Amino acid sequence: MTELLHNDTVDVLLNRRSIRAFRPEPLNPEMTATIESAAQHAASSQYLNDWSAIRVVDQRLKDDLAAIAKQPYIAQAPALYVFVLDEYRNMVIAREQGDAVDSDAFTLKNSYRFTQAQNDAVLALHAMETAAESLGLGCVILGSILNDIPRLIELFHLPKYTYPVLGLAIGKPAQEPALKPRMSGTLQFFDDRYNDDPTFIMRTIAEFNEEVHQYYDLRDPNRPVPTYDAQIAQKAVAGEVLGRGLEHAVQQGFELDR
């Protein structure tokens, strides 16, 4: 295996892990300003800046999010954000510039722009996460807040042409979990063409299964966890995700069939 190069930035990325227990200390204003600025400096497709983030400050809203996610620790996070894809702001700008935003000529509501804005929100969140971790903070990305999208839209008064993407909890770590193993790079990086050989995939996954088993066994030997391939098979037919479909995005004004 080729030896990796190291510097401060690379080491932050290589050592990222989800932190779900935080010390009860607020972030100082300089930390908050720094990580928010890092998010704003992430790449933005076509310079649309088509994302926003809501700071969740009210403890009642934190409690509501924790209930939606079924993860009580969220309510104790010193800093909590909900990232949303945001074409509302651009709609307002376009309307003020004279565009007919209620016509078919208005394209900020179509599938491409929806996906583009979602990507930009994720890039901004990841930049914030990396900046926070470089300052000694811990983070966890919260896909679980999407358990009830209509409730999120209601709680945060999300207008037309916005949609929740992910949450991010940040604080000073009160735990130091082991690094979760990563699969072989040969399964994710290819030269010139995709390697779609099922034999190669399953042979390499068989080796990864043992690493994943050891990781979960060391973490909690009293709670057996299925092998990696079994986990994927379970998630591939998990019906509960159907409730997180994009029909709610259509209600927010997006035309996802275009």
Side-chain angles (χ1 to χ4, degrees):
M1 180 178 178
T2 304
E3 184 176 349
L4 302 180
L5 301 175
H6 290 272
N7 60 33
D8 291 345
T9 303
V10 169
D11 287 345
V12 166
L13 292 166
L14 291 178
N15 285 287
R16 80 149 302 280
R17 67 200 76 191
S18 294
I19 299 297
R20 296 178 173 86
F22 304 102
R23 289 157 54 186
E25 301 174 28
L27 274 59
N28 64 47
E30 293 80 12
M31 280 185 169
T32 299
T34 299
I35 63 177
E36 290 183 0
S37 183
Q40 289 189 286
H41 280 79
S44 174
S45 181
Q46 296 186 301
Y47 201 44
L48 281 167
N49 294 293
D50 45 8
W51 64 271
S52 294
I54 297 170
R55 303 182 197 98
V56 187
V57 179
D58 189 318
Q59 186 59 51
R60 291 171 297 180
L61 287 173
K62 288 186 176 184
D63 293 340
D64 286 337
L65 269 188
I68 289 170
K70 299 180 175 64
Q71 293 171 319
Y73 66 85
I74 290 174
Q76 275 71 56
L80 184 59
Y81 292 82
V82 173
F83 279 75
V84 300
L85 64 87
D86 184 358
E87 295 295 5
Y88 175 81
R89 178 173 51 244
N90 288 333
M91 181 278 292
V92 171
I93 294 169
R95 185 178 62 195
E96 293 300 310
Q97 288 292 311
D99 285 351
V101 298
D102 294 324
S103 73
D104 288 341
F106 179 63
T107 62
L108 292 181
K109 61 186 177 183
N110 70 16
S111 295
Y112 174 72
R113 295 298 192 194
F114 181 91
T115 303
Q116 181 183 44
Q118 187 175 44
N119 289 342
D120 285 356
V122 172
L123 289 171
L125 179 148
H126 180 57
M128 177 181 276
E129 178 199 31
T130 302
E133 289 174 349
S134 76
L135 297 174
L137 300 171
C139 305
V140 58
I141 298 172
L142 304 168
S144 54
I145 66 169
L146 302 180
N147 286 345
D148 191 344
I149 291 170
R151 180 64 175 147
L152 280 185
I153 292 169
E154 176 188 16
L155 282 174
F156 298 108
H157 303 276
L158 298 183
K160 195 173 182 179
Y161 306 132
T162 65
Y163 199 68
V165 177
L166 288 169
L168 183 66
I170 308 172
K172 296 180 181 179
Q175 61 178 184
E176 192 171 348
L179 284 173
K180 187 176 288 187
R182 295 306 194 251
M183 66 175 60
S184 168
T186 61
L187 282 168
Q188 293 186 295
F189 289 91
F190 312 115
D191 291 332
D192 298 329
R193 57 157 292 170
Y194 188 92
N195 188 343
D196 60 355
D197 178 8
T199 302
F200 159 73
I201 292 172
M202 294 312 301
R203 182 179 66 245
T204 313
I205 286 295
E207 299 168 1
F208 185 52
N209 274 336
E210 183 57 30
E211 290 185 61
V212 173
H213 173 72
Q214 290 180 9
Y215 166 79
Y216 282 109
D217 190 48
L218 289 172
R219 196 163 92 167
D220 187 353
N222 297 315
R223 185 183 175 191
V225 174
T227 59
Y228 179 77
D229 53 3
Q231 292 181 49
I232 295 300
Q234 290 174 358
K235 292 169 185 173
V237 294
E240 66 270 12
V241 299
L242 298 178
R244 305 178 193 176
L246 295 180
E247 66 271 14
H248 307 301
V250 175
Q251 295 168 12
Q252 287 294 96
F254 293 98
E255 296 179 356
L256 300 185
D257 57 341
R258 297 185 60 187

